Amino acid sequence: MKFSLFVHMERLSAGQSQIELLDELEVLVTQAEAGGMEAAWIGEHHGMEFTIAPNPFLQIAYLAPKTTKIRLGTSSVIAPFWHPIKLAGETAMTDLITRGRLELGIARGAYSFEYERLQPGLTPMEAGLRMRELVPAVQKLFQGDYEHQGEYWQFPKTSAVPQPLQPGGPPIWVAARDPNSHEFAVRTGCNVQVTPLASGDAEVESLMQRFNTACDANPQVKRPQIMLLQHTYVAADEEDAAQGAEELSRFYCYFGAWFQNKKPVTRGMMEALTAEEMAAMPQYAPEIVRKSLVIGTADEVVARLKAYEALGYDQFSLWIDSGMSFARKQASLRRFIEEVMPHFQKAPEYA
C-alpha cells in the first residue's frame, strides 16, 4: 500500500496570515516528498476560509518547481463547475508544468454553500449526472478531435490544447460512495477515491465491497486502483492522542455545520459554534472520533492500516486538515513517515 498526503490551506481565524498558510502548505508537501510519499492531494472549494483552494491547479503549479518526485493531484475538481474543454486544457497544461506528475481527481461536490453560489439550483443528483457526462468527455478531449452533444454541454470538434504530457492524459480518480458511482468509475477506466469520513471501519469495509462489486461487474476493464482517504493523527502518547481526538472532534463539528449550510458566514468565515451546538452533534464527540478516525500511537496506526491493506486498498491518504496547529500537523506527519511507513515498505530484493 502506498501513502499520500491530503492537505489544504485552512484558515481558522482572521489573525492567520494567508501567505503563511501557503508557506505551510509548501513545507508539508515537501516534507511528504522527502519522506517518500507517493502523492499530495488538494481539492477545490470556493468562498470558504475553512478550505482554501479556489483552483487546485494553481497550488499544484506553485508546488511543481519546489518538488521533484512526488505526484501532485487534484483530490477533486468539482465537476459541475467546469466545462469539459476548460478542464481538459487546464489539466493538460498543469501536466506539462509538473513534468507528467499530475493526477486528476474529480467529484460531484458536496457543499450546498458552493452550489448556491456557483450553480444556483443545482442538486446533488444533477451534480452527479454532470460528472458522469464530464469525465468521458475529458478523456476523449485528451485523445483529440472530439465532438460532444450531451445534455449539459455541446461543442464541435475540439482537442485538449496543449496535449497532456502523460500518454492518454493523467490518471483520473473519481470520488465514489454509492454503488452506482463505483460502477461508473470502474466502467470508464478511472481509479476510485473513497472516504468514510467519521463513520468508522465498518464503512471502510463497505466501501471496498462496493468497489469489488463494481470490478466484478466489469471484467472487461483492467482493475483500477482504489485510495482510502482518512483523517489520521499519529500521537506521541495516549495523552497526545486524546488531544488529537478533541481537535478532530471540533473540526468535524465545523465540517458538519458547513455541510448543513445554516450558520452565518462573513468574509468566508462561519460564525463560531457554541458548546451547545457542538454537543448537538454527538456523532462527532471526541470518544467517537477517537475510534472512527485513525488516531493513536504509531503502533495503533500501523495495526489499523495493516487491516486496510489486507482489504485491498492500493493507497492510503493521510488527511491532515484538522484545525490543529502547524507544529502539531508537522509532528504527526513526521511520526507517520518515520514510525508508520517503514512497516509497509518492501524488503530489498537480492540476486
Side-chain angles (χ1 to χ4, degrees):
M1 189 164 66
K2 295 179 179 179
F3 298 98
S4 60
L5 179 68
F6 183 91
V7 57
H8 290 97
M9 296 163 59
E10 53 173 344
R11 190 163 179 246
L12 307 176
S13 72
Q16 288 181 288
S17 161
Q18 292 176 331
I19 197 68
E20 287 180 7
L21 294 177
L22 182 61
D23 291 341
E24 290 172 2
L25 173 72
E26 178 185 340
V27 169
L28 291 171
V29 171
T30 54
Q31 182 179 348
E33 178 177 62
M37 283 188 154
E38 171 75 7
W41 301 90
I42 301 171
E44 174 185 357
H45 292 287
H46 298 277
M48 306 164 63
E49 296 275 13
F50 184 69
T51 311
I52 303 173
N55 184 336
F57 291 123
L58 292 176
Q59 284 145 306
I60 288 170
Y62 171 80
L63 292 165
K66 302 173 185 299
T67 55
T68 58
K69 296 180 181 179
I70 194 168
R71 297 187 67 80
L72 301 168
T74 64
S75 66
S76 57
V77 293
I78 302 177
F81 300 162
W82 288 81
H83 188 285
I85 296 174
K86 183 174 175 60
L87 180 57
E90 292 199 24
T91 297
M93 188 70 241
T94 310
D95 197 39
L96 294 180
I97 292 170
T98 61
R99 301 299 194 267
R101 289 186 284 138
L102 183 66
E103 305 273 326
L104 178 62
I106 303 177
R108 72 176 189 179
Y111 290 117
S112 60
F113 176 88
E114 295 176 309
Y115 288 172
E116 287 177 354
R117 285 154 178 78
L118 277 81
Q119 200 85 357
L122 183 69
T123 64
M125 174 69 76
E126 182 185 336
L129 293 173
R130 284 175 175 268
M131 182 182 74
R132 295 181 187 205
E133 184 174 328
L134 179 81
V135 170
V138 169
Q139 291 172 319
K140 292 171 183 175
L141 285 164
F142 288 153
Q143 298 170 11
D145 290 337
Y146 169 64
E147 178 182 347
H148 185 80
Q149 295 297 322
E151 181 178 356
Y152 299 107
W153 297 284
Q154 302 84 36
F155 51 85
K157 185 175 71 174
T158 311
S159 299
V161 177
Q163 289 290 299
L165 183 60
Q166 297 177 79
I172 296 178
W173 298 73
V174 169
R177 191 171 190 86
D178 64 84
N180 289 334
S181 297
H182 282 267
E183 198 280 331
F184 165 77
V186 172
R187 175 169 44 82
T188 53
C190 298
N191 297 322
V192 172
Q193 53 172 296
V194 298
T195 176
L197 297 173
S199 298
D201 285 353
E203 180 70 1
V204 173
E205 295 178 13
S206 179
L207 288 164
M208 178 56 78
Q209 290 170 359
R210 292 168 225 173
F211 175 72
N212 286 334
T213 298
C215 291
D216 292 343
N218 292 275
Q220 76 285 1
V221 178
K222 179 182 176 182
R223 183 182 177 90
Q225 296 183 54
I226 180 170
M227 175 177 71
L228 174 62
L229 166 64
Q230 183 66 300
H231 271 101
T232 305
Y233 182 72
V234 186
D237 51 35
E238 183 54 37
E239 182 179 356
D240 189 29
Q243 181 179 344
E246 290 278 355
E247 291 164 320
L248 281 163
S249 169
R250 180 179 177 82
F251 175 92
Y252 265 91
C253 285
Y254 274 87
F255 178 89
W258 275 107
F259 193 80
Q260 292 172 5
N261 192 28
K262 295 178 181 178
K263 294 282 287 182
V265 175
T266 303
R267 296 186 66 84
M269 286 191 175
M270 179 180 289
E271 179 182 271
L273 295 175
T274 65
E276 291 75 17
E277 287 171 326
M278 288 191 279
M281 292 183 264
Q283 70 273 29
Y284 301 140
E287 63 272 17
I288 300 297
V289 301
R290 175 71 171 82
K291 296 177 182 178
S292 60
L293 304 180
V294 182
I295 302 171
T297 60
D299 288 344
E300 291 178 283
V301 172
V302 168
R304 290 283 290 277
L305 300 192
K306 285 289 184 182
Y308 300 159
E309 184 179 49
L311 288 172
Y313 283 101
D314 300 292
Q315 186 176 146
F316 179 85
S317 191
L318 186 161
W319 189 351
I320 206 166
D321 306 339
S322 56
M324 296 180 185
S325 69
F326 176 59
R328 285 179 58 72
K329 291 179 181 178
Q330 268 198 298
S332 172
L333 181 57
R334 175 183 54 77
R335 287 188 286 264
F336 189 89
I337 290 168
E338 295 178 357
E339 301 176 34
V340 175
M341 285 175 56
H343 291 271
F344 297 83
Q345 293 174 342
K346 293 182 179 179
E349 297 180 2
Y350 299 100

